[in-house]
Amino acid sequence: MDGEDSLAGFRDKFYIPKQTNGEDTLYFTGNSLGLQPENARRYVEQTLKDWEIYGVEGHFDGENSWMSYHEKLTDSMAKIVGAKPIETVVMNSLTVNLHLLLVSFYRPTAERYKIIVEADAFPSDKYAVKSQIAFHSQIQDLKSDALIEIKPRDGETTLRTEDIIKTIEEHGDSVALVMLGGLNYYTGQVFDMKRITAAGHKIGAVVGFDLAHAVGNVELKLHEWNVDFACWCSYKYLNSGPGGIAGIFINERHAEDSTLPRFAGWWGHDAETRVLMDDEFVPMKGAEGWQLSNQPILLLASLRASLDIFEDAGIKNLLKKSHQLTGYLEFLLNEIHDERISIITPSNADERGCQLSIRVKDADKSLFKTISAKGVIADWREPDVIRVAPVPLYNSFMDVWKFVEILKDCLCKK
């Protein structure tokens, strides 16, 4: 399968951490931090060189002038999330962006004030949502049932789409916002964003998604699905580096909506008149109008290096290989025939990305440490789950086979 893989050569475009014996590790944690593209150093060093040569004039001089540098990433990012260029911009960090978007899209009233979230959402999302509710409660008397948390059915680990839609319909016109992760970080489940968005809009709510674990991993059609807003980080599957810059999507429907409140900053001001330093804020059209400060060019340069690789590989090609890689991993795990092993990620390829969350009954972290000592870099989540993400840009079918052989060997010794 590796011999027939048309994307196999992209592995050489990344630095793969080494074991103490000099061999490549089996790196399966792109769901936490993607590997460094080899050309990232060149892009960052070019920015440093421009600073050296031009000083402040680097904002305007040279082929990589900083005033418009973020625009070099827009088209590539828009393709990855299924958006129009006007609907997306790279800026800030994930939770900062989520708060900025909630300022605009969570506007509770006495009648419509509830936010629907998944009960096991990534903690930062729940911190943000709860703090927004608390903030608004200081201004207006919001009821204590403002937060609606959806849980899987008893005995199940993932949410059923019909249960999400049923919850939306049951709370009806009291719902101000449906705010879910596009892909659950723990189980690896992809939500049916198209149907959820339609259900939310049907009862008059705004619908947004945190795509931290979905972007660069699964097919996204944010514009087509009519999603109101979305945000994501870029250091996981988009390989921008630790703490890399994030991004947002704001539907074109809201591009010139002057009724939307927002926190304003000068980089969101109309680019043609920004440097005139006028006191009156005139927002740029579309997502760019939500920018605050001037862009961190070094972070943009690192992400640009990875997005260039995505352009070369093609997102559809990557998704096809991802299905094959993850399907192969699932097949091999099922072939172990060990009753202690179960996969809590949906088996349906359309309901997951590249991550499989493997539950090992009665296991503790010692099993994970044993696997790690054999050259596997994966992820442990309490109490008994190993998250493994074979990334199509740099993982091989042989990587997957070796991992399962190591897991089998470690299980036999338990």
Side-chain angles (χ1 to χ4, degrees):
M1 287 187 287
D2 283 331
E4 296 174 355
D5 178 14
S6 62
L7 298 177
F10 284 92
R11 179 184 178 94
D12 296 332
K13 296 180 181 291
F14 292 87
Y15 291 107
I16 299 175
K18 301 292 184 182
Q19 302 181 52
T20 55
N21 62 8
E23 294 182 5
D24 290 346
T25 57
L26 300 176
Y27 193 87
F28 291 112
T29 48
N31 56 331
S32 288
L33 181 67
L35 292 180
Q36 181 187 145
E38 285 190 332
N39 60 347
R41 179 176 284 105
R42 177 168 61 87
Y43 278 72
V44 171
E45 287 182 347
Q46 181 60 57
T47 299
L48 294 173
K49 191 66 177 178
D50 289 343
W51 182 18
E52 172 191 330
I53 294 171
Y54 300 112
V56 70
E57 297 303 325
H59 284 92
F60 306 99
D61 293 346
E63 62 180 86
N64 297 302
S65 58
W66 306 326
M67 286 291 288
S68 59
Y69 197 102
H70 71 278
E71 297 173 7
K72 299 179 186 297
L73 288 69
T74 300
D75 287 349
S76 296
M77 186 61 76
K79 291 177 186 176
I80 290 172
V81 300
K84 293 184 177 182
I86 195 175
E87 296 176 315
T88 187
V89 68
V90 174
M91 67 180 199
N92 303 323
S93 56
L94 172 54
T95 307
V96 170
N97 285 340
L98 177 55
H99 275 295
L100 293 174
L101 292 169
L102 290 175
V103 166
S104 297
F105 292 102
Y106 178 54
R107 294 176 289 166
T109 65
E111 295 78 26
R112 189 182 288 277
Y113 59 93
K114 295 178 182 178
I115 302 179
I116 295 178
V117 299
E118 56 198 290
D120 58 350
F122 194 80
S124 188
D125 284 359
K126 294 181 75 171
Y127 302 156
V129 167
K130 287 180 178 180
S131 66
Q132 287 279 338
I133 292 171
F135 171 78
H136 284 284
S137 294
Q138 296 176 19
I139 302 171
Q140 59 191 106
D141 185 22
L142 291 187
K143 300 180 180 68
S144 59
D145 63 348
L147 186 66
I148 308 298
E149 300 182 75
I150 312 175
K151 298 180 179 180
R153 297 184 185 186
D154 290 344
E156 298 182 359
T157 56
T158 57
L159 288 169
R160 298 190 188 192
T161 302
E162 58 263 34
D163 290 346
I164 297 173
I165 293 175
K166 181 181 178 182
T167 301
I168 293 171
E169 292 173 344
E170 284 178 346
H171 291 274
D173 57 10
S174 67
V175 179
L177 174 66
V178 178
M179 174 68 210
L180 301 175
L183 189 154
N184 183 273
Y185 81 101
Y186 186 79
T187 66
Q189 178 188 12
V190 175
F191 295 115
D192 191 334
M193 288 173 266
K194 179 179 180 180
R195 289 180 61 193
I196 292 169
T197 300
H201 287 169
K202 187 176 180 180
I203 56 100
V206 173
V207 182
F209 295 96
D210 173 355
L211 303 175
H213 290 263
V215 67
N217 179 23
V218 299
E219 185 174 33
L220 297 170
K221 298 181 179 180
L222 299 183
H223 177 83
E224 180 180 317
W225 297 337
N226 205 25
V227 173
D228 288 292
F229 71 88
C231 52
W232 55 88
C233 58
S234 65
Y235 50 81
K236 302 181 191 300
Y237 297 105
L238 295 184
N239 316 301
S240 68
I245 196 164
I248 66 169
F249 164 88
I250 295 176
N251 196 289
E252 188 180 30
R253 291 182 288 107
H254 307 298
E256 298 182 68
D257 186 351
S258 60
T259 66
L260 283 174
R262 74 178 84 190
F263 287 161
W266 86 305
W267 216 254
H269 189 282
D270 176 52
E272 298 298 320
T273 58
R274 181 188 296 143
V275 296
L276 298 180
M277 307 299 182
D278 190 81
D279 288 343
E280 188 68 28
F281 178 72
V282 180
M284 299 178 72
K285 294 181 180 179
E288 286 185 302
W290 269 260
Q291 296 176 103
L292 298 181
S293 301
N294 54 317
Q295 295 278 20
I297 306 302
L298 293 170
L299 295 182
L300 289 175
S302 180
L303 176 57
R304 183 185 172 195
S306 179
L307 293 184
D308 280 357
I309 297 175
F310 271 87
E311 281 283 317
D312 290 343
I315 188 67
K316 290 189 179 297
N317 297 327
L318 291 169
L319 293 174
K320 179 181 178 181
K321 180 181 175 181
S322 180
H323 285 177
Q324 293 171 341
L325 267 178
T326 308
Y328 182 52
L329 173 60
E330 180 183 39
F331 167 76
L332 292 178
L333 289 170
N334 289 333
E335 286 292 297
I336 294 177
H337 299 302
D338 188 317
E339 63 181 16
R340 291 172 292 176
I341 292 285
S342 62
I343 302 171
I344 64 174
T345 307
S347 183
N348 184 339
D350 294 330
E351 296 177 9
R352 69 185 184 202
C354 69
Q355 172 188 321
L356 290 186
S357 295
I358 307 164
R359 174 160 285 157
V360 187
K361 185 179 179 182
D362 298 327
D364 56 33
K365 201 169 183 179
S366 64
L367 171 64
F368 178 74
K369 290 179 178 178
T370 303
I371 293 170
S372 300
K374 293 180 177 292
V376 176
I377 300 180
D379 180 79
W380 173 264
R381 291 286 172 174
E382 295 292 348
D384 55 5
V385 168
I386 300 172
R387 298 190 308 168
V388 178
V391 174
L393 271 175
Y394 48 74
N395 281 124
S396 67
F397 291 93
M398 184 58 77
D399 286 345
V400 170
W401 184 83
K402 287 180 178 179
F403 163 72
V404 176
E405 288 298 300
I406 290 171
L407 177 62
K408 284 194 297 185
D409 181 60
C410 293
L411 286 170
C412 288
K413 295 176 180 178
K414 290 292 287 184

